Amino acid sequence: SGAAYFDNVYLGTNPPAENAAERTAPDSRTAPSRDAAPTQADSGGALSAAVDVNAKRELRPIPATLYGANIEWIWNGDGLWDSNRNELNPEIVRLTRDVGTSLLRFPGGVFANFYHWKDGVGPQSSRRTTEHTPGGPKSVHVFGTDEALAFASRVGARLMITVNASTGTPEEAAEWVRYVNGKNQPGRRVDYWEIGNELYIGAVTPAEYAKRFLQFAHAMRAADPSIRLGAIADDNYGRTIPHKYPDWAGRVLSEAGNEIDFLSVHNGYAPILASDNGWDTRTVYSAMLAAPILMKKSLDDIAGKIQRYAPAGRASHIKIAVTEWGPLFQGTPKDRFVDHVKTLGSGLFAASAMKAFIESPQTDIANFFKLVDPLYAGWIAPRGGGYVPTGPYYALEMYTRHFGGVAVESDVKSPAYRSVSVGWVDAVQSVPYLDVVSSRSGDGRTLYVLAINKNFDQPVRAKIQLHGFEPSGNATQWVFNGTGIGANLGSTPVAVPGVKWARQAVDEKNPRFDRGGPGEIHLTSAPLGNVSASFEYAFPAHSVTSLEIGGRLR
């Protein structure tokens, strides 16, 4: 018995460059095959594409729960609770309501594995102070279950709870269900309950987790038989941390599948620079924008596992939930990409990832990480004593406010680039510059064509053909864009005594990161004329565009 880990294995005729400085250009030792896509660095020339949309070819109704987020209990809910006013922060409430977030996962990430919900109920003045994780910082439990429910209600979202299956007990979880969903709590309800968070990283085996899951499931369903329960799995795309238990998902599905309503994965972080190999900014962003292709393939693989391993008759019932995802670069103040979650380029990644979720038929839930953060990970971020949106925030708004509820078929023929392996993202030989996902309204009177142009410098001019839909001539273009891939609104991590944040990497060709401020990224709209069943549109460089086209099905 034992294990072997390989730093890298390559099979092909164009090996990756050993020198990180060479990674932005084709390998100098071996010429690429004649049909290989160029890199972003040498994409040159006018870009044109063809887009076909079939408004009558329905893929599926889009679950509203794909537009979810993560919130945490620590540090007053990362600022959700304003202790000075003794109320929910009104600015964050407004921004969250405006962006249309649908499902809020609480009380953590990793913090859920050490959370005891009774610490966070009752009068705030008498609540305990506890460690976030063993040996870590401490917080008073100001933001607990009641505050999380109140926040969800204020912003028009539902709450999803992750119960403590690490240091907690089934009885504790069942009491939590009764506390929230009990008959004496009118107007309150949580339908989605996740059992544990990333326990596959620790010493818990899949067999032990399946046993725990069943114990928790039986206790919690006794408290409320109608709740929906999620089990965790470690499936992910590309080269992530080594899988300690490669058979985790299969074992859990086969042993506990009769009680599983959704399988939770954290398939969607990118690019995750576990080590900094000196990559330039464009190489890192090119890899991040390629990641959704790998994510979609992984989601398809997970759906296949559900089909293979779930008990007879259960496979169609078990959905996929991506309960943590989002742009994520590095994790310490000394890192030169740590604060890049907030950029326009990260927004392009978020928009492309949401397309992957929409087009994954078995994926019903997605919660980005995370809603607000005083440091670097929030899609709502601190600036000058207040809060502002980030690039990913605007990407989400494009879907929740300027996209339909029924996904329809679209096909794109676009120029492409090739990316190299960076961080957790494997190399991808062909990444289309133009990513398109389409939808229509429930009544069929509005068709939406949402396009992500991943080219850093050039527009893509597309010939768009509409099938099964007759435009009325009434159309609007919504465009999320900015001054460059590193553009941002100037939010900054909170000042911490003794902590100095590293100077952040900038795009060498168009350095905008350090110029963050009002107007650097924006969401604009304008009327769109000359829209017929066949028309042309130039999608601007580094942008997300939604074309809202009025008309009728035919």
Side-chain angles (χ1 to χ4, degrees), residues 376-416:
Y376 57 85
W379 289 22
I380 297 172
R383 185 186 73 184
Y387 291 89
V388 294
T390 62
Y393 175 102
Y394 284 116
L396 176 63
E397 185 175 346
M398 293 293 286
Y399 283 91
T400 60
R401 302 304 187 200
H402 310 296
F403 202 60
V406 180
V408 299
E409 184 180 81
S410 54
D411 179 70
V412 184
K413 293 179 175 60
S414 165

Side-chain angles (χ1 to χ4, degrees), residues 380-532:
I380 297 172
R383 185 186 73 184
Y387 291 89
V388 294
T390 62
Y393 175 102
Y394 284 116
L396 176 63
E397 185 175 346
M398 293 293 286
Y399 283 91
T400 60
R401 302 304 187 200
H402 310 296
F403 202 60
V406 180
V408 299
E409 184 180 81
S410 54
D411 179 70
V412 184
K413 293 179 175 60
S414 165
Y417 72 92
R418 58 187 170 87
S419 66
V420 299
S421 179
V422 172
W424 281 10
V425 184
D426 292 341
V428 178
Q429 288 301 306
S430 182
V431 184
Y433 281 118
L434 196 67
D435 222 353
V436 175
V437 59
S438 301
S439 66
R440 58 175 167 80
S441 59
D443 60 11
R445 294 181 180 178
T446 307
L447 181 65
Y448 302 83
V449 180
L450 190 147
I452 304 113
N453 181 359
K454 298 180 181 181
N455 192 283
F456 300 151
D457 306 300
Q458 297 175 262
V460 176
R461 187 162 192 86
K463 184 174 182 180
I464 302 172
Q465 299 277 353
L466 307 181
H467 305 278
F469 189 82
E470 183 178 334
S472 64
N474 178 27
T476 304
Q477 52 188 326
W478 290 86
V479 181
F480 162 50
N481 207 342
T483 57
I485 58 169
N488 62 86
L489 290 181
S491 60
T492 55
V494 297
V496 179
V499 174
K500 182 179 180 180
W501 293 86
R503 181 174 178 82
Q504 294 298 284
V506 298
D507 176 9
E508 295 79 4
K509 187 173 181 179
N510 180 20
R512 304 303 305 186
F513 185 92
D514 291 342
R515 306 181 191 183
E520 280 288 298
I521 57 176
H522 44 74
L523 177 59
T524 59
S525 67
L528 179 63
N530 300 319
V531 175
S532 62

Side-chain angles (χ1 to χ4, degrees), residues 156-181:
R158 302 159 75 182
L159 198 64
M160 173 185 190
I161 290 178
T162 304
V163 301
N164 181 351
S166 176
T167 59
T169 66
E171 292 73 23
E172 180 183 23
E175 286 187 77
W176 203 355
V177 174
R178 282 190 287 270
Y179 179 81
V180 175
N181 290 358

